[in-house]
């Protein structure tokens, strides 16, 4: 029995060491995505990819993840799209654009997790400028969480508008240039055994002359694929999430 104890301990140490964590680095004023793109190949299995709390990340370019296995992407910091419409349109219009700002290529046991902290974990699309001009050309879709088996999307929070009177957080750069989704937020075609819950999307216009949802800004584009049998076994909590937390003007 004494001889077996070291072997058990070594096995436990191995299991702990086998899980990796990549903290996405940040540089003020710079695009933070290239460093993640360069590292993702080493963290495609048994890993956590962490956007850490207290950091305001610049997601100025898209990313396409390889197939992932046992990976959790944790968005605990705040993420900001580019504010320049022309640069986004050029990126989306390029032949190299993967289809969404965050594109998943498939995988198993993949979790996309935000945070319950009311001040952090928000993704800022700066969509109001698009809404004001009714601009629908080369709009970026948010997350293509496609071809994932046993996936989870939870505690994600998009666009931050409702926090202004509650917490004093001021992400806006101007009254009509902040914090709205630009186009589709989540798509889940081809995913199976997907659970999505406790997510929040704020899509409410700041401009009294432009109504909310002036054009297609789907929250969770998964109902149609379910009906078409392209995705299956989507948690019934998804419908409750959409009913309770998608805010329209």
């Amino acid at each position: 029995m004494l001889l077996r104890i070291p072997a058990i301990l070594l096995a436990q140490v191995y299991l702990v060491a086998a899980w990796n964590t990549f903290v996405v680095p940040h540089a003020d004023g710079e695009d933070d995505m290239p460093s993640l793109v360069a590292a993702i190949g080493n963290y495609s299995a048994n890993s956590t990819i962490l956007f850490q709390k207290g950091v305001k990340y610049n997601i100025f370019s898209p990313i396409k993840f390889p197939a992932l296995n046992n990976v959790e992407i944790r968005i605990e910091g705040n993420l900001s799209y580019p504010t320049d419409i022309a640069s986004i349109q050029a990126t989306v219009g390029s032949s190299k654009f993967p289809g969404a700002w965050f594109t998943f290529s498939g995988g198993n046991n993949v979790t996309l997790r935000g945070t319950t902290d009311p001040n952090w974990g928000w993704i800022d699309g700066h969509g109001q400028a698009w809404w004001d001009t009714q601009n629908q050309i080369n709009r970026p879709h948010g997350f293509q969480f496609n071809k994932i088996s046993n996936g989870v999307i939870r505690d994600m929070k998009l666009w931050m508008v409702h926090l202004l009177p509650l917490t004093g957080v001021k992400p806006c750069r101007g009254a009509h240039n902040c914090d709205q989704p630009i186009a589709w937020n989540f798509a889940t075609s081809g995913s199976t055994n997907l659970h999505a819950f406790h997510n929040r999307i704020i899509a409410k216009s700041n401009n009294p002359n432009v109504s909310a949802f002036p054009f297609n800004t789907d929250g969770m584009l998964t109902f149609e694929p379910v009906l078409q049998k392209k995705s299956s076994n989507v948690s019934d909590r998804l419908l409750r999430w959409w009913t309770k937390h998608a805010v329209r003007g």
Side-chain angles (χ1 to χ4, degrees):
M1 183 66 179
L2 292 176
L3 293 177
R4 296 178 61 185
I5 292 177
I8 294 173
L9 291 175
L10 286 173
Q12 292 176 337
V13 171
Y14 174 79
L15 288 174
V16 171
W19 192 268
N20 301 303
T21 298
F22 177 72
V23 178
V24 180
H26 167 70
D28 290 342
E30 301 294 330
D31 184 6
D32 296 321
M33 297 299 275
S35 60
L36 175 56
V37 171
I40 189 60
N42 296 322
Y43 296 90
S44 61
N46 304 319
S47 297
T48 294
I49 298 167
L50 176 63
F51 291 88
Q52 62 182 335
K53 179 179 176 178
V55 178
K56 297 180 180 180
Y57 288 94
N58 301 314
I59 53 170
F60 291 168
S61 57
I63 182 172
K64 182 176 182 179
F65 294 99
L68 304 176
N69 185 47
N70 298 326
V71 171
E72 180 180 57
I73 299 173
R74 287 166 45 193
I75 299 178
E76 298 182 358
N78 291 338
L79 277 56
S80 175
Y81 277 69
T83 58
D84 179 49
I85 292 177
S87 67
I88 294 177
Q89 290 174 321
T91 298
V92 175
S94 169
S95 60
K96 297 181 180 180
F97 186 65
W101 218 251
F102 290 84
T103 302
F104 292 77
S105 303
N108 183 52
N109 292 330
V110 179
T111 296
L112 181 60
R113 180 194 296 266
T115 174
T116 58
D117 187 311
N119 295 313
W120 294 99
W122 291 92
I123 303 174
D124 185 353
H126 303 289
Q128 186 70 52
W130 297 70
W131 291 24
D132 288 347
T133 60
Q134 300 288 291
N135 196 332
Q136 301 188 50
I137 300 173
N138 288 339
R139 294 179 296 153
H141 296 168
F143 292 83
Q144 282 192 354
F145 199 74
N146 294 348
K147 300 179 181 179
I148 302 293
S149 299
N150 307 310
V152 175
I153 303 173
R154 62 171 299 174
D155 301 321
M156 296 289 291
K157 302 192 296 294
L158 285 72
W159 321 126
M160 207 164 350
V161 150
H162 76 301
L163 285 181
L164 296 179
L166 298 179
T167 67
V169 175
K170 297 181 179 179
C172 303
R173 291 177 172 81
H176 298 155
N177 185 28
C178 61
D179 308 323
Q180 319 301 343
I182 302 171
W184 298 346
N185 295 293
F186 296 98
T188 61
S189 180
S191 293
T192 58
N193 194 29
L194 170 64
H195 297 268
F197 54 96
H198 297 165
N199 301 292
R200 179 174 294 175
I201 297 173
I202 307 299
K204 185 176 178 66
S205 179
N206 291 328
N207 186 345
N209 298 317
V210 177
S211 63
F213 283 77
F215 42 81
N216 193 338
T217 50
D218 296 54
M220 181 72 73
L221 190 65
T222 190
F223 300 107
E224 180 177 324
V226 170
L227 295 175
Q228 294 178 352
K229 307 298 182 182
K230 293 181 180 179
S231 295
S232 61
N233 195 21
V234 176
S235 169
D236 62 357
R237 287 178 290 182
L238 176 59
L239 180 58
R240 295 200 294 273
W241 162 80
W242 171 252
T243 304
K244 291 182 179 179
H245 296 297
V247 177
R248 302 176 184 230

